[in-house]
Structures are given as structure tokens and as C-alpha cells.
Amino acid sequence: MNSQQNKKYIDHLWDTSIVPTLMDYIRIPNKSPLFDPDWKQHGYMDKAVALLVNWCHENALENMHIEVVQAENRTPVIFIEIPGNSTETLLLYGHLDKQPEMTGWETGLDPWTPVLRDEKLYGRGAADDGYAVFASLAAIKSLHEQNLPHARCVILIEACEESGSYDLPFYIQVLEDRIGKPSLIICLDSGCGNYEQLWMTTSLRGMISGDLKIEVLTEGIHSGNGSGVVPSCFLILRQLLSRIENESNGEIMLDDLFVEIPNERKQQAQLTAEVLGKHVYDDYPFIKDVNTVTTDLTELILNRTWRPALSVIGADGLPKPENAGSVTLPTLSFSLSMRLPPTCDAMAAAKILKTTLESNPPFGAKVTFTLGKNAHGWNAPVEAEWLKNISQQASKKYFGKEAVYMGEGGTIPFMGMLGKKFPDAQFLITGVLGPKSNAHGPNEFLHIPTGKNLTCCVAEVIAEHSKQVK
């Protein structure tokens, strides 16, 4: 592949077509069904699908097939098939549904208003993960510009990833024969430790979510009467959380939620710590004088990639401060999210967590933990030498530095599913979600130079894959 020609073509496509279309995409509030139960009636998802499909038609290659597949009462998927020079299949994956607005956007920024600033495109969804279909097709188009061969390519874009990909198993089964058995799977929904090199995701954590409800009274009473007699919901919550989390350092107390960390992943974490240095934590939006849970950089990386961790992400039953009266609250509910090591059994862990929280409740209170979505993690198979070599070469060509391998703390349910279904496939999991890109929070942005360089790297990998499957 002529790397200069590849770079020139992809940069031009990004500047003239991809970025303008992504700006239109940002304007569509197509929140994932978990955050917009009336998504079908609102029509935003259909509008986003139409925008992406229209762009794909405008940039279609010869004999390329584009189809929106949607079963009744399910979110749609975009299915694209591009014939290749061999019977081997390469699968490229992304999603188009979005996280909700979130509060805290800076002045001049808004989740549904695209803003270009300092080579960054601000707005909800462009980096997570609207760019994926554009980058996938652009990489393949670049090969065609140079008359380079490639395997048969399937691009699959789903619309409920942010809700746990609950429709995806159905579609994978329905489309099984049309997808085939990919020998390489490329996912563009992951992160990067910086914007200076190609980052290869080696693992993803699993997750358990659920709502913890604590009930002590049938109705609220004056706190002057209740306090000292009625055990408060917060007193009970503290005791319940202490069953699963060490209150002094955040370590999870349930041994069954831990796994043995592979030595290779420990070594990769150490190398990543050396590459990033204090950026391991400096890029987090800490307020002044807040410290990390440990100063060991390698341990911080392993904490967020290979160890379980608890987050309390929501609460119900608490009045706002301005409306708070002197009342002993009768019931409170809390949304919990437990991240799991990549190889931990999510179903087994969910049962353990539920039993731990509900058994022998403090003071005989009524405690109910209602499980929500859960997802298995994913640990990459041993990487083929050709994939290692081309990833390093591509990173040096387009970023100027070597590729780096690192686990991610988030969850992509699709990867665990594909890992089981296609155990012999190679995986390239990467993305543009780097420092301060804040995919699920305020001020989300896509770093455009990284998007361009990443697309160039994907093109190189697709071209090299073709040589391996002749």
C-alpha cells in the first residue's frame, strides 16, 4: 500500500464528507432505548439510520449491498456486504445509538449541537460510535483507490449497544449465514490512551447492574421522632456496601469476583504505565487535592481493566436539598454498577452479588436487589504475528510511534459474544475515545486527526489481511 496516497485519500474524505455528515449525526438525539423507551415513536433512531445509510449509498463501491434489517419490536441494524477477492470474511463493527445528554457541558457546547474547535468535533455520539461506519467504509474505499485486493467485508452497525446490545444476539443468529465465519474482526468502539499512537484493546471488563431497594417504613415520619429509633436507609446502605467493598480503599471483598490476571496482561499494563506516565490519571477531571486510590501507575491500570469495581450510579427517593424536610425516609433505591474482570462469569457473579446484598438484612429491613443488564467481558486471543507486525508498522507510519496494547475498563457485549462464536478469529479492537473525550459525560468530542490516522491504520490491516488468506 502506498501510505502517502492512503493518507491523502482518507484525509480528504474525512474533511469533505465524513466530518460534515457527523455534524448532522450529532444533531439527532437518537438515545439508546434504555434512555429513551419511546425511541420508536420519536423516530430519531430511524433518522440516524437513514443519514448513515444515505452516506453509504453515496460512497458505495461496485456490487456493494446495503440493507437495514429490523425485526418487529427490535432496534435496527445496518448490514453492509462488500465482495472481496477471496472467500474469507472480515467483519467490521460499530454502533449508532447514543448515551443521554448528561449535565455539565461547557458554555458554547451542547450534546446535540456540533462544534468544531481545535481539531475536535464536540457533540454526543460522534466518537461513541458514529464515526465507525464512515471509517470502516473509507478504509475499504482507500484500498479500491489503489486497486488493492481485500477479503469479503461485512460491516455491521447496531442500534442498542449503549443498552447492552440486547437485540444483537437475535440478529447475529438471523444473519449468521450472511455474515459467515470471519477470520478477522475489527471493532471501532474502544479507547486510546493518547492521540499519538495506535492503541490495541486486549481485554474488556464485564458488568453487572441492578437496583438496590431498602425499605424500613410504610411512610415517612418526623425525623425528631424517627431518628434514634428507626434505622435509616443510609445506615443500612453503608452496612450492605461494606459487605462487598472495602470502605477505605474501594477493593471488592467478594473473592469469587476476581480472576488470575495473565502475566502478559500484567506486562502490557506495566508498559502502558511507562508510555503514559502520570497521564494514567492526569487526564481525569479531578478537582483540586483529590487523590487516586493508589499511586502505583501499573496497579491503577490493572484496577480499571482486570479487577472488579463498584459504582453507585443513581438514587431514587431522595428529595432535592431545597425540598428536604425533617423526615425519616421510608425507602430509598440505589442503582449499582459492578465492573467485572474480563474472564469472570457474569451470571455467576450476579447471583453472588444478589445473595450477598439480600441475605440477613441489617435490622430486618426489607432489602431487594433487582438485577438489571449484565454482560460478560472479553479477553483477546493470542495475536497472530502478521497482525502484530502490521499494527506496529501502521502506527509508525501514520502516528509516528509504535502501537500500544492495553485493556479497557468498559464493556462491549458484542465482543464477548463474537469471541465465543468465532474462537479462531483474530481481533483488532481500537477506537478514538482518548483523554477527556468523555464519551458518556459532558463535552464529548472526537479528535479528528486520530480518526483520520486510525482509518489509515485500518486500511493497512485490511490490505495485509488479504495477503494472509490467499
Side-chain angles (χ1 to χ4, degrees):
M1 171 171 275
N2 184 316
S3 57
Q4 291 183 340
Q5 187 177 342
N6 185 39
K7 176 69 173 167
K8 182 178 179 181
Y9 178 80
I10 286 174
D11 281 0
H12 178 73
L13 192 59
W14 267 83
D15 290 336
T16 61
S17 183
I18 294 177
V19 170
T21 309
L22 279 172
M23 294 178 76
D24 290 337
Y25 167 75
I26 287 172
R27 294 185 178 98
I28 305 172
N30 58 308
K31 292 182 284 188
S32 198
L34 180 66
F35 310 106
D36 183 9
D38 297 322
W39 64 271
K40 193 168 184 62
Q41 290 84 348
H42 290 154
Y44 299 128
M45 201 71 76
D46 290 339
K47 187 176 180 180
V49 168
L51 177 71
L52 271 57
V53 167
N54 182 63
W55 186 90
C56 290
H57 277 296
E58 291 176 350
N59 289 272
L61 296 163
E62 186 177 358
N63 297 321
M64 176 172 140
H65 175 77
I66 308 169
E67 181 180 352
V68 177
V69 183
Q70 185 167 14
E72 188 175 359
N73 298 321
R74 292 189 183 274
T75 52
V77 296
I78 300 174
F79 181 87
I80 301 173
E81 183 178 4
I82 305 170
N85 303 90
S86 72
T87 57
E88 289 285 334
T89 296
L90 188 158
L91 176 63
L92 300 104
Y93 164 83
H95 70 88
L96 61 88
D97 56 315
K98 301 175 184 178
Q99 284 281 322
E101 297 87 340
M102 189 64 176
T103 59
W105 290 74
E106 294 178 9
T107 302
L109 299 179
D110 179 86
W112 315 124
T113 303
V115 174
L116 277 170
R117 183 188 298 173
D118 299 328
E119 296 187 305
K120 299 170 184 174
L121 175 58
Y122 287 86
R124 178 64 83 225
D128 184 26
D129 185 41
Y131 87 102
V133 67
F134 304 103
S136 297
L137 187 50
I140 301 168
K141 282 173 65 70
S142 186
L143 267 68
H144 282 241
E145 285 293 308
Q146 298 190 37
N147 295 315
L148 294 174
H150 60 77
R152 169 181 173 267
C153 293
V154 171
I155 302 175
L156 188 66
I157 307 296
E158 66 160 317
C160 70
E161 192 276 341
E162 300 292 7
S163 299
S165 295
Y166 58 80
D167 280 337
L168 203 54
F170 169 82
Y171 284 120
I172 292 298
Q173 184 175 359
V174 168
L175 299 169
E176 182 174 13
D177 292 339
R178 298 174 64 183
I179 292 173
K181 293 185 178 180
S183 54
L184 175 63
I185 297 170
I186 298 176
C187 171
L188 301 179
D189 186 31
S190 194
C192 54
N194 58 32
Y195 302 112
E196 301 170 6
Q197 49 211 131
L198 178 65
W199 288 81
M200 315 281 284
T201 298
T202 57
S203 62
L204 297 156
R205 283 195 292 187
M207 183 188 69
I208 305 167
S209 67
D211 292 328
L212 177 66
K213 186 174 184 179
I214 302 170
E215 300 174 80
V216 295
L217 295 169
T218 58
E219 60 185 20
I221 61 174
H222 194 296
S223 61
N225 289 331
S227 58
V229 176
V230 180
S232 77
C233 292
F234 274 106
L235 174 62
I236 294 167
L237 175 67
R238 284 206 305 266
Q239 294 187 31
L240 293 175
L241 292 184
S242 292
R243 294 178 177 184
I244 59 178
E245 180 187 54
N246 185 319
E247 62 190 53
S248 64
N249 56 21
E251 290 182 3
I252 299 303
M253 311 287 286
L254 306 177
D255 291 341
D256 289 332
L257 271 58
F258 286 81
V259 301
E260 183 68 28
I261 304 175
N263 287 330
E264 182 183 18
R265 301 300 182 230
K266 292 179 180 178
Q267 293 169 4
Q268 290 170 345
Q270 185 173 359
L271 177 60
T272 299
E274 293 172 2
V275 169
L276 293 179
K278 291 185 178 180
H279 286 288
V280 169
Y281 59 83
D282 264 357
D283 292 322
Y284 286 77
F286 284 114
I287 64 172
K288 186 179 179 181
D289 296 330
V290 174
N291 299 314
T292 55
V293 296
T294 177
T295 58
D296 188 309
L297 300 182
T298 301
E299 289 302 302
L300 286 176
I301 292 172
L302 291 174
N303 280 351
R304 65 175 286 267
T305 58
W306 274 92
R307 295 189 180 115
L310 175 69
S311 297
V312 180
I313 59 174
D316 187 33
L318 286 170
K320 292 183 178 180
E322 61 267 25
N323 298 325
S326 299
V327 176
T328 298
L329 298 173
T331 179
L332 288 177
S333 294
F334 302 91
S335 295
L336 307 183
S337 175
M338 177 73 79
R339 295 290 173 174
L340 301 172
T343 55
C344 180
D345 186 321
M347 296 296 290
K351 291 179 181 178
I352 292 168
L353 184 60
K354 181 177 175 66
T355 299
T356 303
L357 289 169
E358 290 184 343
S359 63
N360 301 316
F363 304 101
K366 184 177 181 181
V367 173
T368 308
F369 184 61
T370 303
L371 288 167
K373 63 180 180 179
N374 60 68
H376 295 290
W378 173 80
N379 186 32
V382 176
E383 195 177 26
E385 283 300 317
W386 73 264
L387 185 53
K388 285 183 181 179
N389 293 337
I390 192 61
S391 299
Q392 292 293 349
Q393 293 170 22
S395 185
K396 290 176 184 177
K397 281 183 185 179
Y398 301 103
F399 286 96
K401 293 183 179 181
E402 291 186 347
V404 184
Y405 295 82
M406 183 175 75
E408 280 292 333
T411 305
I412 306 177
F414 188 47
M415 289 302 104
M417 187 190 316
L418 286 186
K420 289 183 178 180
K421 190 167 186 64
F422 305 115
D424 297 326
Q426 287 289 298
F427 287 81
L428 170 62
I429 315 298
T430 186
V432 296
L433 298 172
K436 299 183 180 180
S437 59
N438 221 16
H440 292 194
N443 311 318
E444 176 185 347
F445 68 77
L446 185 155
H447 188 256
I448 294 173
T450 296
K452 293 176 177 177
N453 290 335
L454 182 60
T455 306
C456 291
C457 290
V458 170
E460 293 271 1
V461 171
I462 294 174
E464 185 63 26
H465 172 258
S466 178
K467 299 177 184 177
Q468 304 300 318
V469 298
K470 283 183 178 180

